[in-house]
Amino acid sequence: MARLVAAFVAAVPRLRFDFHLASLKGLFPQLRRASILAAWSGAEPRLAHASDLSTNPAPNLLTQLVTFFDDFAPHYDEWAHGFHRKAAERLVALAHPTPGEHALDVGCGTGLVTRALAHNVGRRGSVVGVDVTPGMLEVARQKTPANVQYLYMPGERLIFRDAAFDLVTMGLALAYFVDARAALAEAHRVLRSGGRLAVSCQRRALATDAQEEFFEILDRMRVDHPFMRLPRHDDERGSLGEPEVLTRQLYEVGFDEVKIATMVTGGRPKNAHEWVELMKGAGPLPYSLLSTMGPASRRRLEGELDEVMGRLDEDAFRFHIAVTFALGYRD
Ligand SMILES: C[S@@+](CC[C@H](N)C(=O)[O-])C[C@H]1O[C@@H](n2cnc3c(N)ncnc32)[C@H](O)[C@@H]1O
C-alpha cells in the first residue's frame, strides 16, 4: 500500500482532487478480469496489476464497464425507483413471448428480462441469458427458474448455431457493447426465419438541463483528473437510443418491419448529495469518477452543483430517463 501511495505521489505532483485509495484498491481484482475480457474484444489489455498504475493508469472502457456492473449489481434492480424493472417489463410486453418459445437474452444482467421471458415461455420453452459481468450473473443465478440457463458470453460472439432461437432480447445493453453492430448481427444470425429481436436503449437526447449541466461538470472532471485518464464512449454511441438511429441499425443488419415504442420516467432528488448518490448508478464513467472521490472533492462538487442548479429554478435536480424500444423481425 505504501508503494502504491508513493507511486501516485511521484506521478502526480499537484493533486487537485482527493480520492479514496481504498475504493481504488477494490478495482484491482476486476481489472485483472477485465484484461482477460479484453482479449476477446481485441481491445488492448491494461492494468493487470496494481504495480502497473504508475506507468499506465488508464483503464479501458471494458475495465470500467465490468467494474461498474460488478459493484453495482446488488443495487441494480432498485436503482432510480425501479427504473430497470419498469424498462424490463415494457421490453417483455413488446417482445410478447409465447408458451413453448426458445429465447435468448443478451446482456441479461441480473435477469430482470430473463425471468419474465421464462415465465411467459413456460415449461415447454426455454431461455438462455448471457452476460460478461460476473457480479451481474451472480445476482441473476440467485433466482434461476428451471427453464433458464445463464452463461458467461459476449453478445458479439455467440456460440449458438444459426436459427437456434425464436426470440432474442437485449435490454438496455446495446450502448455498452464493445461492438453494437456485431451484437445485432449475431442476434439476427441466431434467430430462425420469422423470429424477432426486441431491443431497448436509453435515449440520451431527452435529458433535462440539470442532467446536461451535471454531465458537463463530470466531463470536465474526467479531463482534469489528476491521476486517471478515464476514457468515454464516442458521441455516436450516445445516439443509439434515438428512434431513427436504432431503426436504421436494425435494418442494416437485416431486420424487417421495425416497430418503435418509447417510455419516459424521471424524478427529482432533494439536494446535491442525493443527486450525486443517484448519478453513481448512471453508468461506468460517472461511477468511476464519483465512487473514488474523497470527502473534500465531494463537498466541492456538491457546492458547484448547488450553484448551477440554483440557476435552473424549478428545473433544478430534475432528471429524465427515456428509453426507446424496437422490435424487428427476421425474414
Ligand atoms: C444496463 S445492464 C442491462 C441488464 C438487463 N438486460 C436489464 O434489462 O435490466 C447492461 C448489461 O450488459 C452487459 N454487457 C455489456 N457488454 C456486454 C457484452 N459485450 N456482451 C454481453 N453482455 C454485455 C453488462 O455486463 C450488463 O449486465
Side-chain angles (χ1 to χ4, degrees):
M1 188 61 185
R3 281 199 4 242
L4 188 59
V5 173
F8 275 137
V9 173
V12 188
R14 279 189 315 118
L15 286 181
R16 270 180 289 159
F17 295 101
D18 60 320
F19 286 82
H20 285 306
L21 291 182
S23 25
L24 274 174
K25 209 174 66 178
L27 296 176
F28 297 137
Q30 285 133 12
L31 293 176
R32 177 189 285 281
R33 190 157 52 219
S35 72
I36 297 165
L37 281 174
W40 60 258
S41 72
E44 189 193 346
R46 289 182 176 161
L47 275 183
H49 300 285
S51 56
D52 292 343
L53 201 56
S54 60
T55 53
N56 186 5
N60 61 27
L61 286 167
L62 205 58
T63 306
Q64 262 190 28
L65 175 115
V66 173
T67 302
F68 167 63
F69 282 112
D70 256 339
D71 289 2
F72 194 57
H75 317 290
Y76 179 86
D77 291 2
E78 303 313 325
W79 184 73
H81 312 297
F83 154 71
H84 294 121
R85 282 184 191 284
K86 290 176 205 155
E89 276 164 24
R90 287 290 296 274
L91 183 70
V92 175
L94 181 74
H96 195 58
T98 55
E101 284 196 310
H102 298 286
L104 171 68
D105 185 24
V106 182
C108 62
T110 59
L112 288 173
V113 173
T114 327
R115 283 192 296 277
L117 292 173
H119 178 76
N120 285 281
V121 301
R123 276 190 305 178
R124 284 187 298 110
S126 68
V127 189
V128 179
V130 301
D131 204 287
V132 294
T133 302
M136 295 292 264
L137 285 171
E138 205 177 301
V139 172
R141 285 184 176 128
Q142 286 163 11
K143 295 181 238 162
T144 310
N147 57 352
V148 168
Q149 180 73 275
Y150 288 111
L151 301 172
Y152 178 87
M153 191 186 304
E156 295 89 336
R157 303 224 188 135
L158 300 174
I159 60 160
F160 309 109
R161 290 185 191 279
D162 295 0
F165 295 97
D166 303 297
L167 169 65
V168 175
T169 49
M170 282 183 194
L172 301 174
L174 195 62
Y176 295 111
F177 292 152
V178 172
D179 187 340
R181 192 188 165 92
L184 289 175
E186 276 291 84
H188 186 266
R189 180 185 68 75
V190 300
L191 275 172
R192 67 164 168 82
S193 173
R196 59 218 187 275
L197 168 69
V199 189
S200 60
C201 197
Q202 263 197 58
R203 188 175 177 190
R204 312 236 175 240
L206 297 190
T208 59
D209 288 349
Q211 282 164 295
E212 297 283 353
E213 295 276 3
F214 174 70
F215 284 106
E216 258 173 46
I217 295 175
L218 268 199
D219 205 45
R220 252 192 349 260
M221 283 172 51
R222 178 186 73 87
V223 172
D224 294 344
H225 199 290
F227 57 82
M228 291 201 281
R229 283 187 298 139
L230 292 165
R232 55 168 279 199
H233 281 307
D234 48 39
D235 289 342
E236 198 186 321
R237 190 175 291 250
S239 68
L240 269 178
E242 296 312 305
E244 64 287 358
V245 177
L246 194 54
T247 305
R248 194 174 61 238
Q249 296 279 333
L250 262 63
Y251 280 131
E252 277 178 12
V253 298
F255 286 98
D256 256 356
E257 288 181 49
V258 177
K259 286 184 200 153
I260 291 286
T262 54
M263 173 182 113
V264 183
T265 170
R268 194 172 180 187
K270 283 201 289 288
N271 51 40
H273 183 79
E274 274 191 17
W275 175 275
V276 174
E277 285 304 306
L278 178 84
M279 291 301 158
K280 275 187 195 168
L285 179 62
Y287 182 78
S288 301
L289 282 166
L290 300 172
S291 63
T292 54
M293 185 177 274
S297 307
R298 173 74 181 249
R299 271 196 302 278
R300 255 197 313 275
L301 172 66
E302 289 180 11
E304 189 174 350
L305 269 175
D306 276 331
E307 214 180 294
V308 167
M309 297 292 168
R311 293 197 288 271
L312 296 178
D313 297 325
E314 60 193 36
D315 286 332
F317 296 116
R318 195 181 292 286
F319 73 92
H320 286 162
I321 317 180
V323 180
T324 303
F325 300 88
L327 181 70
Y329 288 84
R330 194 194 197 291
D331 261 349

